[in-house]
Amino acid sequence: MTELERKHDRTPVPKDWAYAPAPEARDIVALRERYGHFIGGEWVEPRETYTTISPATEESLAEVGQATPEEVQAAVAAARGAFEDGWSDISPAERAKYLFRIARILQERSREFAVLESLNGGKPIKESRDVDLPLSAAHFFYYAGWADKLEYAFPNRRPRPIGVAGQIIPWNFPLLMLAWKIAPALAAGNTVVLKPAETTPLSALHFCDVLRQAELPAGVVNIVTGDGRTGAEIVKSEGVDKIAFTGSTEVGKAIQRELAGTGKKLTLELGGKAANIIFDDAALDQAVEGIINGIYFNQGHVCCAGSRLLVQESIYEPVVEKLKRRLTTLRVGDPLDKNTDVGAINSKQQLDKIHELVAAGEKEGAEIYQPPCRLPEKGYWFAPTVFTNVAQSYRIAQEEIFGPVLSILTFRTPEEAVEKANNTPYGLSAGVWTEKGSRILWMAERLRAGVVWANTYNRFDPSSPFGGYKESGFGREGGRHGLEPYLDFDGSG
Ligand code: NAI
Ligand code: MG
């Protein structure tokens, strides 16, 4: 509080009622007016640009490049040069050193990056501060540890780097997805061309300054910005040996078609429609917190979000009642306010998609509930939403909404829960809430999902592999498994 003035003997009155600035205030990030592409350790002036905005206010934040085919080729050539010119041959312990440095710098600059992530992406500061930033640094620390132990990670297989990795990432966890992609690629001795999503380029561009501080050799990491056209250019570039993609199933399929027969390696991390399954013996209050975290975390822009709630019939009413009550306490608003639970929707395009699917749910006959809340006038917002009376065939039970919208279905027996949970083209994640350990194992064996959480949801750790089945993609990120797509082995490739 500011200096106090004494009006009477005993009554302190503040001089003014303004709050002291929060440690995560907007002005700790210095943005440039215009960013180029980061190629060969230098900023290259872009030929074409567009404006990136804050989805919470629609204000312009900076001009960034829309990379042309020539600019993409320049980035690929820089990565190839750096790979052949030393990076693939330096001692693995030396490679680890750079990864450790990057991890430490991210920790030191975490406030700044957290604010930037919330500003450009719309996510609540408490999430970027407590989830995105710590996990991004943890990922670099974790893979730094593997860099000089690859022979132990894959005994008798003689692992060696592949070459140049092209990496295309989405907008829901911009810096964290960058860390998931870059850390294992570098630990394995590859060089990188990475493209952030068009709506959230700023943290990746800011990260180039971390690379400079860490003194990473020029060309080892190159960042080009732009939309899907730039991404497609990376995919078809002949100088790229491996593509790692996270995003929509539609684009993932197109990339798979493009790469068929080229011999390039590919990993895809695509959409999801996860079931969060609540049995009648679960601790209900904890389960309700898990449901909330499962679908309203990051505005529901989460590929593994628990978007289909399966509740055992005998506890349907108390669960729905508790859930609705809890929903009224969620605070929707300014992403930079540390009390905010649900921030802004990432883009107009995503907001339109949510509106379309929610309208379809109402039309098909589901019952909608939204707590009373006042949404800001500017920016892109959607109130936390619950649908009851949902049939499995409805679009809101089938399609990924990627927004703060939950569909509730019921089941009677564990067999029925498994059948409904697996009744989806996706298979990324699932949640199981029950007091019975044996039932957790029984369910985990039968759920066709890459990750199954038990009595928790949306937990991540760099040592734990993450990835999907079916239309959720293939390949794993995280853990020892996450190194494999970035390596060639004796007898392969
Ligand atoms: P998207 O798949 O179009 O975009 C993801 C990334 O791919 C971005 O960097 C984009 O520029 C790039 N891209 C787009 N077209 C490309 C192409 N032809 N070749 C190479 N790269 C390309 O996803 P979008 O349109 O932003 O979102 C649509 C839906 O996809 C969302 O509503 C959500 O359902 C799903 N999605 C899933 C994500 C996940 O984490 N699995 C992340 C983002 C979106
Ligand atoms: Mg798209």
Side-chain angles (χ1 to χ4, degrees):
M1 203 190 292
T2 50
E3 208 183 308
L4 294 180
E5 214 176 51
R6 280 184 185 275
K7 287 251 167 85
H8 301 288
D9 273 358
R10 288 163 295 119
T11 324
V13 173
K15 253 186 164 167
D16 73 63
W17 288 93
Y19 286 110
E24 283 84 20
R26 155 101 203 235
D27 56 13
I28 62 172
V29 191
L31 285 178
R32 298 199 207 161
E33 264 174 42
R34 185 182 165 89
Y35 290 86
H37 306 294
F38 189 71
I39 299 176
E42 306 279 344
W43 288 108
V44 175
E45 186 59 24
R47 289 218 209 114
E48 293 168 26
T49 61
Y50 69 96
T51 305
T52 184
I53 65 165
S54 154
T57 59
E58 297 174 57
E59 83 185 283
S60 303
L61 296 176
E63 290 291 300
V64 300
Q66 162 66 44
T68 61
E70 295 73 33
E71 288 164 329
V72 169
Q73 290 324 316
V76 172
R80 173 64 54 197
F83 181 75
E84 277 159 15
D85 197 26
W87 181 251
S88 55
D89 290 332
I90 65 168
S91 84
E94 189 72 4
R95 283 205 307 265
K97 179 187 81 181
Y98 293 108
L99 291 169
F100 277 122
R101 283 183 184 171
I102 292 169
R104 283 176 49 196
I105 297 166
L106 279 180
Q107 284 185 322
E108 280 161 17
R109 297 178 64 174
S110 66
R111 275 195 173 141
E112 184 188 339
F113 273 95
V115 170
L116 183 58
E117 206 70 326
S118 287
L119 197 59
N120 198 196
K123 64 173 69 201
I125 185 73
K126 72 175 176 196
E127 291 177 5
S128 42
R129 182 194 64 194
D130 299 347
V131 181
D132 299 61
L133 261 294
L135 279 177
S136 300
H139 229 77
F140 280 102
F141 275 123
Y142 175 79
Y143 280 108
W146 274 124
D148 62 350
K149 301 173 195 70
L150 298 176
E151 299 279 353
Y152 302 96
F154 305 99
N156 303 318
R157 292 181 68 195
R158 293 184 160 270
R160 49 182 197 281
I162 302 174
V164 176
Q167 307 183 318
I168 298 161
I169 58 172
W171 40 264
N172 49 347
F173 295 91
L175 190 70
L176 185 59
M177 290 302 104
L178 172 150
W180 279 29
K181 297 278 183 283
I182 292 182
L186 298 194
N190 304 282
T191 58
V192 163
V193 175
L194 177 135
K195 188 193 85 62
E198 52 270 42
T199 55
T200 53
L202 291 180
S203 54
L205 292 166
H206 218 63
F207 180 76
C208 298
D209 196 47
V210 173
L211 300 175
R212 178 195 59 77
Q213 270 184 291
E215 299 181 318
L216 186 77
V220 172
V221 171
N222 305 275
I223 310 268
V224 290
T225 56
D227 60 17
R229 289 168 293 169
T230 304
E233 208 56 50
I234 296 174
V235 171
K236 65 176 198 237
S237 168
E238 285 189 2
V240 168
D241 304 296
K242 184 230 155 39
I243 293 290
F245 173 79
T246 300
S248 63
T249 297
E250 179 200 352
V251 173
K253 285 181 178 171
I255 292 177
Q256 196 175 8
R257 276 195 297 273
E258 174 80 32
L259 293 189
T262 63
K264 277 186 210 169
K265 289 199 176 212
L266 174 64
T267 42
L268 296 175
E269 204 265 89
L270 310 174
K273 190 74 190 177
N276 201 1
I277 305 165
I278 321 289
F279 283 97
D280 60 7
D281 64 343
L284 286 198
D285 290 324
Q286 271 126 291
V288 167
E289 287 310 304
I291 298 166
I292 294 281
N293 176 41
I295 185 65
Y296 304 114
F297 170 64
N298 204 36
Q299 295 73 248
H301 301 330
V302 184
C303 46
C304 50
S307 53
R308 281 185 302 150
L309 181 66
L310 299 185
V311 184
Q312 198 153 21
E313 233 172 62
S314 49
I315 51 160
Y316 175 75
E317 269 153 33
V319 167
V320 171
E321 194 198 309
K322 279 174 191 282
L323 188 61
K324 286 183 176 172
R325 203 179 326 135
R326 179 67 176 84
L327 228 58
T328 61
T329 67
L330 289 179
R331 298 177 62 138
V332 184
D334 182 4
L336 288 178
D337 182 333
K338 67 179 190 291
N339 295 311
T340 293
D341 299 304
V342 179
I345 299 302
N346 184 267
S347 66
K348 169 87 170 46
Q349 184 201 341
Q350 188 58 34
L351 183 61
D352 291 346
K353 174 177 169 183
I354 298 169
H355 276 298
E356 186 207 324
L357 279 160
V358 165
E362 289 189 90
K363 194 157 167 241
E364 283 178 305
E367 194 175 308
I368 189 170
Y369 172 78
Q370 291 175 325
C373 66
R374 215 168 349 121
L375 301 177
E377 274 175 12
K378 277 233 137 184
Y380 314 130
W381 305 93
F382 202 86
T385 301
V386 167
F387 273 113
T388 50
N389 287 334
V390 179
Q392 285 193 82
S393 57
Y394 291 177
R395 286 182 69 192
I396 52 170
Q398 290 287 332
E399 295 179 35
E400 182 176 55
I401 301 175
F402 225 60
V405 182
L406 179 67
S407 298
I408 308 185
L409 299 105
T410 59
F411 66 92
R412 287 187 189 167
T413 63
E415 290 78 8
E416 190 187 345
V418 168
E419 203 180 303
K420 284 188 166 160
N422 289 341
N423 180 13
T424 164
Y426 295 112
L428 196 53
S429 59
V432 178
W433 297 79
T434 169
E435 286 289 287
K436 278 205 186 100
S438 58
R439 182 175 280 162
I440 291 171
L441 298 175
W442 191 92
M443 292 292 292
E445 239 173 42
R446 287 161 180 78
L447 290 168
R448 294 264 292 148
V451 178
V452 179
W453 284 293
N455 294 325
T456 187
Y457 208 91
N458 273 340
R459 288 236 165 214
F460 302 96
D461 188 283
S463 64
S464 173
F466 183 90
Y469 284 95
K470 302 191 275 184
E471 294 204 2
S472 293
F474 49 79
R476 293 293 178 266
E477 295 184 290
R480 192 171 54 83
H481 300 70
L483 288 164
E484 209 162 338
Y486 290 100
L487 291 165
D488 269 336
F489 299 95
D490 261 3
S492 74

